[in-house]
């Protein structure tokens, strides 16, 4: 499952080539990669028939855990020795996993395969101790409060002990009009609603990118409309400005300390 603990493999040239001016300046020097000498400690081979990248990975106090569609498995961070494996009960499949593990607790959302993608009536949320694999808590929730729970959908995000959903509009409200889409934030452990707010019509299509903080991707109606990223609170919102020279935002957002790292797509070259 991993490279021999006594073997280090040369990863080949992987050196930052940004000019010095990028890393210097009045606030510098910024952190940067060193020379291409970092050894590979161990690697996890993709299994035959594997669905690909994990739903999420968590690194806590020497443990690296990976949530996949059928299980969560953990390895020693230093040498890759197998530590524990957890599988959802009754043949459930994992649809989502939290982007982080606050206080060493990773959260997974799972439901029965027989329900079909996006068609589950009930889902279960389970909190796992990343260090030991022990189940700390588990609860059931109606899926219709979350919208689609298809693992490929961008309508549900987990992180920071929260669930954030972009539930599509449905039904009819007062006056016979369709209800607008809504953003909702729940406590993952208790299911308590933290806040909800209608999605402004000007946002167009909305998908959830991140749960902690809440970051949504919006695109106005119309083919080719650029995506925008908005950081949202219960009563606040702040659009992230697209850097000069970038064409639009990509689909990935990471949290690094108190900063957001966002993917930007540049103008295509001939």
């Amino acid at each position: 499952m991993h490279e021999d603990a006594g073997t280090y493999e040369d990863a080949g040239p992987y050196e930052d080539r940004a000019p010095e001016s990028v890393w210097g300046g009045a606030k510098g020097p910024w952190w940067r990669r060193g020379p291409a000498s970092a050894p590979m400690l161990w690697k996890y081979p993709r299994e035959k028939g594997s669905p690909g990248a994990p739903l999420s990975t968590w690194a806590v106090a020497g443990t690296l855990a990976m949530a996949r569609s059928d299980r969560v498995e953990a390895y020693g961070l230093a040498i890759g020795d197998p530590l524990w494996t957890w599988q959802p009960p009754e043949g459930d499949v994992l649809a989502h996993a939290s982007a982080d593990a606050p206080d060493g607790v990773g959260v997974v959302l799972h439901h029965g395969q027989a329900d079909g993608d996006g068609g589950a009536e009930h889902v279960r949320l389970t909190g796992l101790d990343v260090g030991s694999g022990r189940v700390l808590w588990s609860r059931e929730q109606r899926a219709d409060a979350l919208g689609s729970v298809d693992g490929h959908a961008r309508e549900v995000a987990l992180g920071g002990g929260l669930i954030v959903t972009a539930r599509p509009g449905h039904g009819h409200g007062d006056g016979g009009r369709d209800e607008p889409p809504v953003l909702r934030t729940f406590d993952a452990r208790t299911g308590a609603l933290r806040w909800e707010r209608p999605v402004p019509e000007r946002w167009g299509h909305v998908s959830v990118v991140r749960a902690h903080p809440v970051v949504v991707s919006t695109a106005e109606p119309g083919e080719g409309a650029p995506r925008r990223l908005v950081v949202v609170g219960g009563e606040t919102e702040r659009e992230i400005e697209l850097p000069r020279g970038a064409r639009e935002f990509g689909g990935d957002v990471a949290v690094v300390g108190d900063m957001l790292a966002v993917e930007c797509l540049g103008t295509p070259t001939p």
Side-chain angles (χ1 to χ4, degrees):
M1 298 297 286
H2 57 87
E3 290 292 303
D4 189 292
T7 302
Y8 292 101
E9 181 175 324
D10 184 3
Y14 188 68
E15 183 175 3
D16 176 71
R17 290 182 172 82
E20 289 299 326
S21 59
V22 171
W23 304 106
K27 297 182 179 179
W30 294 86
W31 175 89
R32 65 172 299 170
R33 283 194 295 264
S37 59
M40 178 185 292
L41 298 180
W42 61 279
K43 64 181 179 181
Y44 177 90
R46 178 178 293 186
E47 299 176 358
K48 185 176 181 180
S50 169
L55 298 173
S56 189
T57 58
W58 309 311
V60 175
T63 299
L64 175 69
M66 295 183 289
R68 298 188 176 277
S69 61
D70 61 344
R71 66 192 184 277
V72 181
E73 51 197 5
Y75 299 87
L77 196 56
I79 62 175
D81 49 318
L83 299 180
W84 56 264
T85 298
W86 176 85
Q87 290 182 301
E90 301 176 2
D92 277 11
V93 294
L94 301 184
H96 296 279
S98 60
D100 55 11
D103 300 322
V105 181
V107 180
V108 292
L109 184 153
H110 48 101
H111 61 82
Q113 296 187 66
D115 295 318
D117 287 344
E121 291 186 6
H122 293 84
V123 298
R124 183 163 290 278
L125 289 117
T126 299
L128 299 171
D129 181 274
V130 177
S132 66
R134 184 166 58 95
V135 174
L136 300 177
W137 56 266
S138 188
R139 69 173 186 83
E140 190 173 278
Q141 175 173 327
R142 287 193 57 86
D144 56 10
L146 303 178
S148 172
V149 294
D150 179 359
H152 300 288
R154 299 301 293 268
E155 295 174 359
V156 178
L158 291 170
L162 302 172
I163 310 171
V164 178
T165 75
R167 183 180 179 184
H170 69 288
H172 296 278
D174 294 338
R177 294 185 301 176
D178 290 342
E179 296 179 355
V182 293
L183 283 175
R184 286 178 173 164
T185 300
F186 301 90
D187 184 291
R189 181 169 186 169
T190 66
L193 179 67
R194 293 288 187 87
W195 56 261
E196 69 175 357
R197 57 176 295 182
V199 173
E201 187 174 349
R202 67 180 184 279
W203 285 4
H205 175 74
V206 173
S207 59
V208 181
V209 178
R210 191 86 186 186
H212 183 66
V214 179
V215 180
V216 299
S217 173
T218 73
E220 297 177 358
E223 187 175 353
R227 284 175 290 189
R228 297 174 298 170
L229 292 180
V230 184
V231 182
V232 185
E235 299 179 355
T236 62
E237 61 188 66
R238 181 171 183 178
E239 185 172 340
I240 300 176
E241 294 184 6
L242 189 66
R244 186 173 61 181
R247 177 168 46 91
E248 68 172 335
F249 289 110
D252 293 325
V253 172
V255 176
V256 184
D258 59 353
M259 300 178 67
L260 288 177
V262 301
E263 179 186 30
C264 299
L265 305 179
T267 303
T269 56

